Amino acid sequence: MSDKLNLTLKIWRQASPGAAGEFKSYKLYDISTDMSFLEMLDVLNEELIQKNDEPVAFDHDCREGICGMCNLMIDGQAHGPDLETTTCQLHMRRFRNGDTIVIEPWRARAFPVLKDLIVDRSAFDRIMQAGGFVSVNTGNAPDGNAILVDKDDADQAMDAATCIGCGACVAACKNASAMLFVAAKVSQYALLPQGRPERTARVQNMVAQMDQEGFGGCTNTNECEAACPAGISVSNIARLNREYLRATLTGAK
Amino acid sequence: MIQTIRAAGSFWLLRVFGSTIGRKLVMAVTGLGLCGFLIMHLAGNLLLYVGAEEYNHYADTLHAQAILLTIAEIGLLILFVGHIVLAFTTDRENSAARPVGYAMKQTKQPPSGMAAPASSIMMATGIVVLLFLLLHLADFRFSALGIRKHDGDDHFTKAVNILRDPLSAGVYIVGSLVLGYHVLHGFQSAFQTLGFNHPKYTPIIKFLSGLFAATVALGFGSFPLWAWAIQK
Ligand code: FES
């Protein structure tokens, strides 16, 4: 049997990118503990629409923890209080009757607020365009196992590749640094033979784009690792640093 | 293929020092250099415990090396200035990366047992260490503080007199403890920045970082207590 919660929500409302925003309070009654956090926000929006009020704009897509869209700062925690959990996987049973929940958008110069809780994360897309890919020749598909990959390397590359690009690392970092994201993306290619031919230019270009977007620098506080819903380790940042050092010292440019 | 390097700037060194990672690398290298200096400095100071004669002999021998000493001092100056200037510039840039702050912010890291983890207050501890350093240079290196001018004293007596002054004793103890907390994060963080992170040796580096921090804090912090205890 599910319990029911009465909640107070303090939500950041901002009409447009340049507009001044403010927190608004909303009361919600009889919220089932079986609901997900986003379903709770759906209930709020239904009520707002019925009252002819503007619904709260928030991002979401898959609602199963794989797309990285549901980015909310919940009570000062990226994706809420649970470890390795996205907002859409967070359940209302995590909260208590009478709680006040503060909901804010990601805060970073490189992630400007578009509306209410939605931020523009296209900075990540531009970092990926700068080098987050491997070039593959067209023609017949190569034999699947033609290139041998060390099992440990494959495992680590897979771990890095679980990054869903949600930006929680940036949101949680006191410097709004994107190092964990870039580290995961550089690592997933650097660890595999398919990524090696382009590794020098890749790390240089992705880091240059990261800096150009206005993210802060890493001070190794490890807040990103704790906040990451995909459990990306800061050991990837050490690899990024290694790759950068290697590219700097041995690269042609 | 990824072919062009998009990074701005033509000369590669300028490009590196302009990048967030490049600056971190410089922070790490200068920081480790300064850690090395701390070890040598502490080792020399520990001669205070051996005896006045040994300490004076060490100090005289050191000061007799006029040229080498000047080179070492210039080297140290470069390390300090590089580390400090970069600290202030990156700190300003990092704050600028979040123009609008959060109304509420919490950590997901397991509690460290400290009110503020060393990594989150490096700037604050760094500024305290800088003030400590300036006072320390003023009275030991330049004998600039009038009240502590001791013409004709030998090195040992001078050191004991300065350390016994209640005001400077307080500053030296607090400064040493804060310095320990600063290097607690700084030492192991430098290895991460230089790319050393591996399940095999990261735990060892973290342990050494704790050991180094305790040695620095307790080692340097013990001198004023000792000077007070030997009242002669
Ligand atoms: S909505 Fe896709 S990860 Fe949450």
Side-chain angles (χ1 to χ4, degrees):
Chain A
M1 212 188 77
S2 75
D3 288 327
K4 299 285 184 195
L5 304 175
N6 296 334
L7 301 166
T8 306
L9 304 178
K10 283 181 72 181
I11 300 179
W12 181 261
R13 302 301 310 260
Q14 181 174 336
S16 59
E22 59 172 344
F23 280 98
K24 287 222 172 112
S25 284
Y26 302 91
K27 296 254 181 230
L28 273 186
Y29 300 97
D30 287 335
I31 294 297
S32 160
T33 48
D34 289 343
M35 278 183 194
S36 76
F37 198 84
L38 295 185
E39 284 166 340
M40 181 274 295
L41 287 179
D42 292 337
V43 172
L44 171 71
N45 277 348
E46 294 290 335
E47 288 183 12
L48 290 177
I49 290 167
Q50 270 171 14
K51 283 192 275 185
N52 257 332
D53 277 345
E54 181 78 9
V56 177
F58 63 91
D59 249 339
H60 61 101
D61 190 6
C62 71
R63 297 206 175 195
E64 55 184 358
I66 52 171
C67 75
M69 291 299 284
C70 53
N71 305 309
L72 299 178
M73 204 72 178
I74 301 165
D75 282 344
Q77 306 266 36
H79 294 291
D82 285 337
L83 295 177
E84 297 192 25
T85 303
T86 54
T87 299
C88 58
Q89 297 169 307
L90 176 66
H91 280 79
M92 293 315 293
R93 55 176 170 264
R94 197 66 174 69
F95 297 89
R96 297 229 179 79
N97 193 24
D99 274 359
T100 298
I101 307 174
V102 180
I103 310 171
E104 294 177 76
W106 284 174
R107 298 286 189 195
R109 176 174 53 187
F111 288 164
V113 173
L114 292 177
K115 188 173 180 179
D116 296 340
L117 302 171
I118 299 181
V119 298
D120 176 1
R121 287 181 297 122
S122 55
F124 272 10
D125 300 338
R126 289 186 290 275
I127 293 175
M128 290 306 277
Q129 284 159 8
F133 53 86
V134 290
S135 303
V136 177
N137 290 333
T138 51
N140 285 342
D143 178 49
N145 293 318
I147 304 172
L148 297 181
V149 180
D150 179 87
K151 174 75 167 84
D152 286 337
D153 288 346
D155 286 349
Q156 288 186 54
M158 271 308 280
D159 285 347
T162 52
C163 168
I164 54 176
C166 66
C169 43
V170 176
C173 173
K174 74 180 176 67
N175 308 324
S177 170
M179 287 275 282
L180 191 66
F181 167 76
V182 177
K185 299 305 174 191
V186 165
S187 287
Q188 76 187 39
Y189 301 117
L191 283 159
L192 297 177
Q194 292 85 346
R196 300 260 155 82
E198 294 161 299
R199 71 193 279 203
T200 302
R202 170 179 303 114
V203 67
Q204 289 180 311
N205 285 344
M206 289 180 82
V207 168
Q209 189 64 36
M210 169 181 88
D211 288 346
Q212 205 179 312
E213 297 291 347
F215 292 104
C218 176
T219 49
N220 297 331
T221 60
N222 298 358
E223 203 59 49
C224 52
E225 180 184 79
C228 178
I232 305 292
S233 157
V234 291
S235 61
N236 289 294
I237 295 184
R239 184 177 297 104
L240 170 64
N241 293 335
R242 272 201 306 275
E243 284 292 305
Y244 185 79
L245 197 57
R246 181 195 157 277
T248 301
L249 296 179
T250 67
K253 294 189 188 141
Chain B
M1 288 290 280
I2 312 169
Q3 270 162 354
T4 48
I5 304 292
R6 296 187 184 191
S10 48
F11 184 50
W12 67 276
L13 266 177
L14 287 181
R15 221 161 49 211
V16 174
F17 293 140
S19 82
T20 44
I21 299 186
R23 288 182 192 182
K24 275 296 288 179
L25 288 169
V26 178
M27 269 317 255
V29 170
T30 52
L32 280 183
L34 292 170
C35 283
F37 165 66
L38 282 179
I39 293 177
M40 283 170 47
H41 190 16
L42 183 62
N45 286 6
L46 284 173
L47 285 172
L48 281 170
Y49 291 162
V50 180
E53 213 173 293
E54 287 80 359
Y55 181 77
N56 284 331
H57 178 67
Y58 159 72
D60 286 332
T61 319
L62 192 66
H63 290 189
Q65 302 287 340
I67 299 174
L68 286 181
L69 203 59
T70 311
I71 295 174
E73 282 189 330
I74 292 173
L76 273 176
L77 189 69
I78 293 173
L79 289 184
F80 272 112
V81 170
H83 198 71
I84 293 165
V85 168
L86 264 182
F88 281 104
T89 34
T90 50
D91 188 67
R92 194 157 7 87
E93 284 166 5
N94 289 343
S95 322
R98 176 165 295 128
V100 183
Y102 292 105
M104 192 176 185
K105 182 76 175 71
Q106 297 189 67
T107 178
K108 270 193 205 184
Q109 297 199 66
S112 67
M114 297 301 237
S119 64
S120 67
I121 51 166
M122 289 302 275
M123 196 60 201
T125 53
I127 288 173
V128 173
V129 171
L130 176 59
L131 295 175
F132 172 37
L133 171 74
L134 292 177
L135 180 97
H136 180 51
L137 285 177
D139 55 17
F140 269 93
R141 174 69 178 77
F142 299 108
S143 302
L145 303 177
I147 45 161
R148 302 194 187 94
K149 219 171 169 83
H150 312 278
D151 292 329
D153 282 350
D154 65 355
H155 296 288
F156 184 84
T157 316
K158 178 185 171 186
V160 171
N161 282 339
I162 293 176
L163 289 168
R164 205 183 278 159
D165 178 272
L167 179 70
S168 53
V171 172
Y172 278 62
I173 293 174
V174 172
S176 304
L177 294 178
V178 173
L179 176 61
Y181 206 45
H182 190 75
V183 297
L184 174 65
H185 172 72
F187 186 80
Q188 48 108 359
S189 174
F191 286 92
Q192 164 83 359
T193 299
L194 289 169
F196 291 92
N197 184 314
H198 195 282
K200 276 184 190 158
Y201 48 73
T202 297
I204 301 174
I205 292 174
K206 291 208 167 142
F207 172 76
L208 287 179
S209 202
L211 191 67
F212 179 61
T215 308
V216 164
L218 301 179
F220 286 111
S222 68
F223 294 118
L225 298 176
W226 161 84
W228 177 77
I230 61 160
Q231 297 273 2
K232 51 170 186 177

